[in-house]
Amino acid sequence: MKYLLAYCVPLISFFGIYLGGFWSYAGIIFVFGILPFLELIFPKDEKNYSEAEIKNKLKNRLFDVLLYLNVFIVYGMLFFALHKVATVPLSLVKMIGVILSLGVVLGSNGINVAHELGHRDKLYERVLGKLLLIPSHYTHFFIEHNHGHHLHVSTPEDPSSARYNQSVYAFWIQTIFGTYIKAWQIQTKLNKMENRSFLSLKNDMFWFTIIQISYLIATYYFFGRIGFLVALLAGIVGLLLLETINYIEHYGLRRNRLPSGRYERVSEKHSWNSNHVLGRIMLYELTRHSDHHYKSQKKYQILEYHDVSPQMPFGYPTSMVLSFFPPLWFAVMNKRIPLEMKT
């Protein structure tokens, strides 16, 4: 039941937007102000689970239901926020607060949960994951992440892996454009392998494009120009939240090239791990990212800690804030990267 805490972000954002005024910034303040402070107080937990505990966690469907509920939460929050800005006159300052607070919900409870569901075997779970990517204009993430990022992580071929001494702002440009281009390249390759036409129902990138355009047209039709702008900008905030997490997950780490020309296999060493308990709960164990890349089919509730993984000095929320100040980020993180792994 501890994962109910992941609903704090949408709950606080909802009441902030409902109350209006300065309260509309409540979501963004909670994520980037209060959470990092609380992370410094709450302990780390390096404990792994026994075989019996793992079996019980995998049998408990509540872990999955907690993820599915985010579809209703994200779209409910989206409708509520867009309806408010379309019907209640707001100043520019208050409008920015709505955009930022809605954006963190689209990132934390949208893309983050979509990432988990996108690795599942069941079709309906993958469909739910795709639905959660739409409000952040990032449906192509589904293809690029599964067929590109997990294959090329921590190599120059991966636009979602940040290089040594690369700022988060330079990384945003690299990854936003790079992952979209790579998603089309992957889709084109898949079409050729399976002899699909461009209009095939299995050409995801074509249909993703149609869906994303339709989504924005719908927001304009139902909520007007203001609603359209809020949906557009909040989605950008959500995708930037995702890419900031991507930045800290693999910053500066490199897989070595073998004499054969191939890269070494992905291991627990190629992602940053954090055992800070609050970040683990709020992000559905995304902070145990080393184990996720080591065994990508593992469900979030059984991800484990490996002591050979590079360890972050702070939790993910705190590290995200730190990354917004590149000189400070470099001073803290660069010395922690093993010399043989620096990119």
Side-chain angles (χ1 to χ4, degrees), residues 44-338:
K44 293 189 291 185
D45 182 5
E46 298 178 353
K47 182 175 70 70
N48 286 328
Y49 308 115
S50 67
E51 287 296 322
E53 286 175 316
I54 289 174
K55 288 180 180 178
N56 287 334
K57 285 175 178 289
L58 290 175
K59 281 192 272 185
N60 191 340
R61 291 284 292 165
L62 181 58
F63 287 105
D64 297 329
V65 172
L66 289 172
L67 296 180
Y68 306 158
L69 289 176
N70 282 284
V71 177
F72 301 98
I73 290 171
V74 166
Y75 278 94
M77 183 71 186
L78 182 67
F79 178 84
F80 167 72
L82 296 185
H83 181 265
K84 176 159 187 175
V85 299
T87 56
V88 179
L90 297 177
S91 67
L92 177 61
V93 172
K94 295 174 184 176
M95 192 75 70
I96 292 173
V98 173
I99 291 168
L100 294 175
S101 289
L102 176 59
V104 296
V105 174
L106 301 184
S108 63
N109 296 75
I111 300 183
N112 180 46
V113 176
H115 164 259
E116 172 70 22
L117 293 174
H119 283 287
R120 299 294 179 87
D121 293 327
K122 294 184 176 67
L123 176 62
Y124 72 87
E125 291 183 308
R126 297 198 302 274
V127 170
L128 292 178
K130 293 175 183 179
L131 286 173
L132 286 170
L133 292 171
I134 294 172
S136 292
H137 328 305
Y138 236 52
T139 44
H140 64 277
F141 172 84
F142 181 85
I143 293 176
E144 196 282 328
H145 181 82
N146 290 320
H147 296 280
H149 176 62
H150 271 267
L151 180 63
H152 299 297
V153 65
S154 297
T155 72
E157 283 76 22
D158 180 33
S160 297
S161 295
R163 301 186 303 272
Y164 180 74
N165 265 347
Q166 182 180 31
S167 74
V168 69
Y169 306 108
F171 176 74
W172 283 350
I173 297 172
Q174 168 188 298
T175 190
I176 289 172
F177 292 101
T179 55
Y180 185 74
I181 292 170
K182 193 160 186 176
W184 271 109
Q185 291 172 342
I186 292 169
Q187 185 66 72
T188 301
K189 184 178 179 180
L190 291 173
N191 290 345
K192 288 181 179 177
M193 286 173 59
E194 301 190 16
N195 198 27
R196 302 173 187 161
S197 72
F198 186 75
L199 298 179
S200 167
L201 289 175
K202 293 185 177 181
N203 184 356
D204 281 351
M205 282 301 293
F206 171 73
W207 294 108
F208 285 164
T209 303
I210 298 298
I211 290 169
Q212 291 289 184
I213 293 172
S214 299
Y215 165 73
L216 290 174
I217 291 174
T219 59
Y220 184 86
Y221 179 81
F222 289 106
F223 303 104
R225 181 172 58 89
I226 297 299
F228 168 81
L229 288 174
V230 169
L232 177 67
L233 295 175
I236 292 173
V237 172
L239 70 89
L240 289 178
L241 187 66
L242 163 77
E243 294 302 359
T244 303
I245 291 175
N246 259 339
Y247 175 78
I248 65 175
E249 284 173 341
H250 305 287
Y251 171 74
L253 301 178
R254 180 189 65 195
R255 284 157 60 196
N256 294 316
R257 194 184 287 272
L258 303 174
S260 65
R262 293 175 173 245
Y263 289 100
E264 62 181 315
R265 291 187 64 179
V266 178
S267 75
E268 312 95 309
K269 300 184 299 181
H270 298 115
S271 307
W272 289 96
N273 182 80
S274 168
N275 290 306
H276 294 76
V277 65
L278 194 58
R280 286 179 54 191
I281 294 170
M282 299 299 293
L283 292 172
Y284 295 101
E285 303 292 351
L286 185 70
T287 66
R288 285 193 161 179
H289 206 63
S290 301
D291 195 35
H292 169 68
H293 269 275
Y294 182 49
K295 295 181 180 178
S296 62
Q297 296 303 312
K298 289 177 72 170
K299 291 186 174 183
Y300 74 95
Q301 67 265 30
I302 61 168
L303 289 174
E304 297 178 289
Y305 161 66
H306 302 275
D307 56 10
V308 297
S309 302
Q311 303 299 313
M312 304 206 77
F314 307 107
Y316 271 32
T318 305
S319 298
M320 291 169 70
V321 174
L322 196 66
S323 73
F324 295 145
F325 305 94
L328 188 57
W329 171 261
F330 297 149
V332 171
M333 294 301 297
N334 284 3
K335 61 188 177 184
R336 296 175 179 272
I337 303 172

